[in-house]
Amino acid sequence: MPDTAVLTRDESPVTDAEIAAGHAAVGYVNGLIRGPAGPTTPRTLEQSIRAGERRLARFRRFLGTLGNPQDGLRCVHVGGTSGKGSVAAKIAAGLTAAGLRTGLHCTPYLQTALEKFDCDAQLARPSELVDLVDWIRPHVDRFAATDPDGPPTYGMVWVALTLEYFVRARVDIAVMEVGAGGRFDLTNVVNPDLAMITSVGPDHLKSLGGTLESIAWHKAGIFKPGAAAICGPLPPEAQPPVREAAAAIGQPLVEVPLDGSDFRAHNTHLAEAALEVLGTPLSPEVSQATARGRLAARFERMPGHPAVYLDGAHNRDKARALGQVIDGAGLPRPRVGLIGMVGYRAASEVLPQLLPHLDVWVATEPQVYRKPALPVGLLAEAGEKLGKAPIAQASEPDDALQAALALAGNHGSVVAGGSVYLAGNLRAAWYPTLAVVRERTMWPRLDTEGPHGRAALADTYL
């Protein structure tokens, strides 16, 4: 496919052969993973700057070989410790309702890599991903042979594919969620109309310098000359770096105060503030779409009974917010937690925020490609140290789900947290991944109410 290719809307059914080709395409990108997902030892701010500058400079070199698909792409850039994905989805929903063809990039994906390629709330077809991968492969090979730092990374290729997809889809605007940090995140090659920081909290401490001030400095790196700058409420330590970054580019910082105690309502408030700054009239249709805009597995209620809610809640702030939502929603008892974490996450920060809001809990291990889980025994030990050991342990998420459902009975509730990857593992029990891929939506039609058990949980799309 030539670099100038434009996607044409294809509403024909997704075939088995197309799905198989999509598997192979994602397998190629997965094969680019090298080493651990993040630093194994803490970095000082100076070390994180040096590493980040090298990483972003190399990505810019790679994008240059692709024709710089980020250039000329109108976008909104959303960063923050918590809430950035949900706010990005709400902004995108509002822009679509306003009549703009809108792309949405959120990370990580839950069930299928096709979630990375979202246009007006419709996922890409597997064949579109295949075309993109076929296009980028020779560029990867040439770059690997000529660049002094070797082949592009897994993350570089995914972000490049996303940018190219939005170009081919001829979006009017793309909403891009930051992966981690901001200043040296791979998404920070875009030239946005608006950059937003939803919040600043203690996450990715090893890679971002170890303090709230350094984290705020990293996040404020998405502010750019000519782009409106917005932030949500910030802790005192984070305020100077963010305000100074806005002042340095000559932009007035729009600070949006907390809208009540409901974090979900606050996310809508932040999204509406962004739309207003963009000049998008908040008509009833736009306001309603913004309020309804959502990402899967953000305190998402699954169909059927008992009540099962999926959430990521992988850091202290997100876990605290989830605990408040559990109490505020008045979930039926017994409230059974289903918790699993990847290895680089700190159980000592998450469990104290969640366990007081649960009656009992089950420990498990998220299943994710090339990212080792925190062993279930270590997670259980962290709970024991807090005086609340898990009532059951199961390394396989589907076994843990069955144990949690049995504990909840017909009238209780189950809340999954600790990792967005775990939420993705579990979600396939209600929304089989193949159905998501075929119908190109995270909410495919269901013939029966779940959970469907082990066979459905094994139904993964790379």
Side-chain angles (χ1 to χ4, degrees), residues 434-445:
L434 287 178
V436 169
V437 171
R438 290 187 189 280
E439 297 188 32
R440 302 170 64 187
T441 174
M442 294 303 291
W443 293 275
R445 297 182 300 272

Side-chain angles (χ1 to χ4, degrees), residues 238-298:
Q239 292 170 7
V242 173
R243 290 170 178 167
E244 289 166 9
I249 61 169
Q251 288 292 332
L253 179 63
V254 179
E255 300 188 46
V256 183
L258 183 64
D259 183 36
S261 60
D262 188 317
F263 283 82
R264 292 167 294 176
H266 178 64
N267 288 341
T268 298
H269 186 53
L270 282 172
E272 288 180 337
L275 292 171
E276 287 183 316
V277 171
L278 288 168
T280 305
L282 291 178
S283 66
E285 293 78 15
V286 169
S287 293
Q288 290 169 11
T290 303
R292 290 195 302 265
R294 58 176 175 161
L295 289 180
R298 272 63 172 184

Side-chain angles (χ1 to χ4, degrees), residues 33-334:
I33 296 177
R34 300 287 186 274
T40 54
T41 58
R43 288 174 177 163
T44 64
L45 180 58
E46 291 74 20
Q47 290 172 327
S48 72
I49 291 172
R50 288 197 297 270
E53 287 176 340
R54 290 195 302 269
R55 181 173 182 247
L56 205 55
R58 191 155 83 97
F59 187 38
R60 289 188 182 278
R61 294 198 300 271
F62 180 55
L63 289 173
T65 70
L66 306 178
N68 289 309
Q70 76 280 11
D71 289 351
L73 183 66
R74 187 183 176 208
C75 71
V76 174
H77 206 188
V78 184
T81 301
S82 300
K84 62 184 184 294
S86 294
V87 171
K90 287 178 177 294
I91 293 172
L95 291 169
T96 293
L100 296 179
R101 185 167 172 79
T102 306
L104 174 63
H105 166 269
C106 289
T107 186
Y109 62 85
L110 290 171
Q111 294 175 252
T112 164
L114 298 173
E115 296 168 41
K116 291 178 176 286
F117 311 101
D118 181 304
C119 184
D120 289 341
Q122 185 176 46
L123 306 186
R125 298 179 64 97
S127 60
E128 292 169 345
L129 176 57
V130 171
D131 288 343
L132 286 166
V133 170
D134 287 346
W135 162 76
I136 209 168
R137 287 182 75 152
H139 294 286
V140 170
D141 293 340
R142 284 194 292 271
F143 190 82
T146 59
D147 193 81
D149 293 323
T153 64
Y154 168 89
M156 289 166 59
V157 170
W158 271 130
V159 175
L161 289 172
T162 302
L163 293 168
E164 178 68 12
Y165 176 77
F166 291 150
V167 171
R168 295 184 180 196
R170 290 183 170 175
V171 301
D172 297 310
I173 190 166
V175 183
M176 302 286 293
E177 179 194 2
V178 171
R183 188 174 298 270
F184 303 119
D185 186 71
L186 292 174
T187 62
N188 204 28
V189 296
V190 299
N191 297 300
D193 289 12
L194 178 151
M196 169 182 278
I197 300 172
T198 59
S199 63
V200 173
D203 197 10
H204 298 288
L205 288 169
K206 283 185 178 180
S207 60
L208 299 182
T211 68
L212 279 184
E213 292 91 338
S214 64
I215 291 171
W217 180 84
H218 274 280
K219 294 189 184 304
I222 67 174
F223 291 166
K224 294 185 175 69
I230 300 182
C231 73
L234 303 174
E237 309 96 304
Q239 292 170 7
V242 173
R243 290 170 178 167
E244 289 166 9
I249 61 169
Q251 288 292 332
L253 179 63
V254 179
E255 300 188 46
V256 183
L258 183 64
D259 183 36
S261 60
D262 188 317
F263 283 82
R264 292 167 294 176
H266 178 64
N267 288 341
T268 298
H269 186 53
L270 282 172
E272 288 180 337
L275 292 171
E276 287 183 316
V277 171
L278 288 168
T280 305
L282 291 178
S283 66
E285 293 78 15
V286 169
S287 293
Q288 290 169 11
T290 303
R292 290 195 302 265
R294 58 176 175 161
L295 289 180
R298 272 63 172 184
F299 198 66
E300 181 187 13
R301 167 72 190 268
M302 295 293 100
H305 295 281
V308 178
Y309 293 84
L310 303 184
D311 196 86
H314 60 248
N315 62 38
R316 187 188 69 186
D317 288 354
K318 290 182 178 180
R320 180 188 298 119
L322 177 57
Q324 292 172 350
V325 170
I326 289 171
D327 287 347
L331 299 191
R333 295 185 183 275

